[in-house]
C-alpha cells in the first residue's frame, strides 16, 4: 500500500487558503488604514502644569515693556523725577501672573459686594515661570493667606505699617528687570560717572525691539484695531488685551509720553483720549464699552477679573487723577 504525501512548495498556495489569506490581508490593511487615518485620535492624559508654555509665552514681560518705554535710549536710565513707576510695576506683576494663569479671584459669590480692588486673590498654579520677580511673588503667595488686590500691590511696594508683612516688599525691581533685559539682549550694561559717584546704566542695545513696542502703542491708540484681528495674528493668548494693559500701566507709570513723542500734536491728544477710554473700559468687570469686546477663553474669567482689579487701582493714582 503506497502512501502519498503532499509536499509544500514555496510560492504555491491552495485556492482555498489564497481566498482566506486575501480576506485576512484586506482586514489587516483596513485596520492599518484606520489606525493611520487623520480622523482617528489617541487621547493621552497629561497634567496641565506639564504643558510647554514656551510657545505661547511672549519674549518680554509686561513689566519689561513698560520699563523699556521709560528708559532713555542712549543714557540708559529712568527719569529721576518719576516716582510712579515703582508702584505701577508691582501692580503689573499681578497682571502678568493673571495672564499666565497663576492667580485668580477667589470664587465666592459674595465677592461682588466688594469693590474690585478689595476682592481677594489666590494662587491657582504654583508652577514657576522662569522670571525672577514673578517666581518670587508666587513663592510669597504660596505661604500667605488670601489678600485683596490692593493689599498685594501695597505689600509688594513696601507701603504697609504691618511689621509682619515688611518682608513681602520686592527689592530693586527696576534694576532686576533691567538685568533681565540685558540677558535677553535688549539692553547693555555701562558705568557712568555722575558728579561724585558712579552709576550703572542700561542703554538700549536692540532698538528694533523698542521700536516695535512704540509702534504697537501708537497703532492701538491712533488707528481702529479689532481685538479679534490682533488675537488671530498672534500665538500669545489675549495679545490685544496684553497691549492694552501695557499701555494703561505705562500711563500710570508716567512713561507713556515717551512713546507718543513721535506723533503729531493732534494725534497725541487723540491718543491720550483713547487711553482714558481704555482705562474706563477695562477697569471694571465684566469689561464694558465697545472697545472692550474680547472673546474670553475657557477657565480664564477669574484671572481676567484680577487684571480689571489692578487697572481699577491705577485709575486712582495721582498721575491719572491729576
Amino acid at each position: 500500500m503506497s502512501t502519498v504525501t503532499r509536499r509544500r512548495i514555496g510560492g504555491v498556495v491552495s485556492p482555498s487558503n489564497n481566498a482566506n489569506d486575501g480576506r485576512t490581508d484586506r482586514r489587516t490593511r483596513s485596520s492599518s488604514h484606520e489606525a493611520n487615518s487623520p480622523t482617528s485620535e489617541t487621547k493621552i492624559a497629561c497634567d496641565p502644569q506639564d504643558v510647554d508654555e514656551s510657545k505661547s509665552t511672549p519674549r518680554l514681560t509686561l513689566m519689561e515693556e513698560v520699563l523699556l518705554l521709560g528708559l532713555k535710549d542712549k543714557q540708559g536710565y529712568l527719569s529721576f523725577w518719576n516716582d510712579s513707576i515703582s508702584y505701577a510695576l508691582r501692580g503689573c506683576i499681578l497682571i502678568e501672573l493673571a495672564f499666565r494663569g497663576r492667580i485668580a479671584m477667589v470664587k465666592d459669590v459674595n465677592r461682588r459686594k466688594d469693590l474690585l480692588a478689595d476682592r481677594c486673590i489666590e494662587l491657582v498654579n504654583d508652577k514657576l515661570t522662569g522670571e525672577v520677580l514673578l517666581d518670587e511673588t508666587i513663592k510669597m503667595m504660596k505661604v500667605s493667606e488670601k489678600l485683596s488686590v490692593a493689599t498685594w500691590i501695597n505689600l509688594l511696594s513696601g507701603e504697609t505699617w504691618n511689621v509682619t508683612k515688611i518682608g513681602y516688599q520686592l527689592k530693586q525691581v527696576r534694576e532686576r528687570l533691567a538685568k533681565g533685559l540685558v540677558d535677553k539682549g535688549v539692553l547693555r550694561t555701562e558705568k557712568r560717572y555722575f558728579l561724585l559717584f558712579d552709576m550703572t546704566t542700561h542703554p538700549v542695545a536692540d532698538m528694533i525691539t523698542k521700536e516695535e513696542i512704540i509702534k504697537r502703542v501708537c497703532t492701538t491708540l491712533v488707528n481702529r484695531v479689532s481685538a479679534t484681528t490682533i488675537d488671530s495674528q498672534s500665538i500669545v493668548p489675549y495679545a490685544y488685551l496684553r497691549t492694552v494693559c501695557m499701555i494703561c500701566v505705562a500711563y500710570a507709570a508716567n512713561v507713556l509720553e515717551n512713546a507718543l513723542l513721535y506723533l503729531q500734536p493732534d494725534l497725541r491728544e487723540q491718543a491720550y483720549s483713547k487711553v482714558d477710554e481704555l482705562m474706563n473700559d477695562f477697569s471694571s468687570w465684566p469689561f464694558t464699552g465697545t472697545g472692550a469686546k474680547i472673546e474670553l477663553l475657557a477657565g480664564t474669567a477669574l484671572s481676567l477679573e484680577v487684571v480689571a482689579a489692578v487697572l481699577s487701582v491705577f485709575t486712582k493714582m495721582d498721575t491719572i487723577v491729576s
Side-chain angles (χ1 to χ4, degrees):
M1 179 176 174
S2 62
T3 303
V4 179
T5 60
R6 189 172 184 178
R7 182 181 297 174
R8 293 181 178 274
I9 303 176
V12 179
V13 184
S14 64
S16 60
N17 288 340
N18 188 27
N20 292 334
D21 290 345
R23 287 193 296 269
T24 304
D25 289 343
R26 284 194 296 271
R27 286 195 297 269
T28 304
R29 286 195 298 269
S30 177
S31 61
S32 175
H33 174 73
E34 291 176 359
N36 296 326
S37 174
T39 57
S40 62
E41 298 180 357
T42 302
K43 297 183 179 180
I44 302 175
C46 66
D47 189 343
Q49 296 189 19
D50 293 335
V51 177
D52 184 12
E53 298 178 342
S54 59
K55 294 182 179 180
S56 60
T57 301
R59 179 191 175 202
L60 302 183
T61 64
L62 290 173
M63 302 87 69
E64 290 171 336
E65 291 181 340
V66 172
L67 182 75
L68 199 55
L69 286 178
L71 282 176
K72 301 178 185 294
D73 296 344
K74 296 181 179 180
Q75 294 86 345
Y77 55 83
L78 296 164
S79 172
F80 294 115
W81 312 111
N82 191 334
D83 57 353
S84 303
I85 190 169
S86 294
Y87 189 84
L89 287 175
R90 267 74 171 190
C92 197
I93 289 174
L94 297 184
I95 294 178
E96 186 68 46
L97 287 174
F99 275 127
R100 298 191 183 211
R102 300 304 193 270
I103 60 176
M105 284 289 184
V106 175
K107 192 174 183 180
D108 182 6
V109 293
N110 295 322
R111 74 180 188 279
R112 302 187 185 280
K113 300 177 181 178
D114 299 324
L115 297 174
L116 267 175
D118 296 330
R119 297 176 188 178
C120 290
I121 58 179
E122 63 180 346
L123 187 68
V124 295
N125 184 353
D126 61 359
K127 181 181 178 181
L128 300 182
T129 63
E131 299 289 345
V132 178
L133 291 171
L134 297 181
D135 293 346
E136 189 173 330
T137 306
I138 288 175
K139 292 175 183 177
M140 286 190 291
M141 289 186 170
K142 192 174 182 179
V143 297
S144 172
E145 70 273 20
K146 296 178 178 61
L147 301 172
S148 68
V149 173
T151 300
W152 268 115
I153 299 177
N154 290 334
L155 290 178
L156 297 178
S157 304
E159 297 184 6
T160 178
W161 293 100
N162 189 342
V163 294
T164 63
K165 303 292 186 182
I166 293 178
Y168 282 50
Q169 181 182 7
L170 292 176
K171 306 290 182 63
Q172 298 179 329
V173 169
R174 287 176 289 183
E175 181 64 23
R176 287 198 278 177
L177 286 174
K179 288 182 179 178
L181 287 171
V182 171
D183 294 337
K184 295 178 181 180
V186 181
L187 303 179
R188 65 178 184 272
T189 302
E190 291 182 357
K191 288 284 187 180
R192 286 182 177 270
Y193 183 72
F194 287 89
L195 298 177
L196 301 176
F197 58 92
D198 292 333
M199 186 175 79
T200 302
T201 61
H202 301 284
V204 178
D206 181 8
M207 279 302 301
I208 296 178
T209 298
K210 182 167 184 176
E211 288 171 356
E212 187 277 330
I213 296 174
I214 293 174
K215 180 181 178 181
R216 190 150 40 97
V217 170
C218 295
T219 301
T220 303
L221 295 179
V222 175
N223 301 335
R224 287 193 173 187
V225 294
S226 168
T228 305
T229 303
I230 300 298
D231 290 340
S232 63
Q233 297 173 351
S234 175
I235 61 174
V236 178
Y238 295 120
Y240 173 76
L241 184 56
R242 288 184 67 92
T243 299
V244 169
C245 289
M246 183 263 291
I247 292 173
C248 293
V249 175
Y251 187 34
N254 203 20
V255 298
L256 182 62
E257 60 181 352
N258 296 341
L260 303 183
L261 290 175
Y262 300 90
L263 298 177
Q264 296 295 329
D266 55 337
L267 292 178
R268 199 177 307 145
E269 290 298 324
Q270 177 184 338
Y272 277 117
S273 299
K274 182 66 174 180
V275 175
D276 291 332
E277 178 183 332
L278 292 175
M279 288 289 287
N280 291 331
D281 290 347
F282 290 94
S283 61
S284 58
W285 184 258
F287 296 138
T288 58
T290 55
K293 293 180 179 179
I294 61 174
E295 184 177 352
L296 301 183
L297 301 178
T300 61
L302 291 175
S303 293
L304 294 186
E305 190 175 341
V306 176
V307 174
V310 174
L311 295 182
S312 71
V313 174
F314 288 161
T315 58
K316 298 177 175 60
M317 290 183 63
D318 294 337
T319 52
I320 295 179
V321 174
S322 58

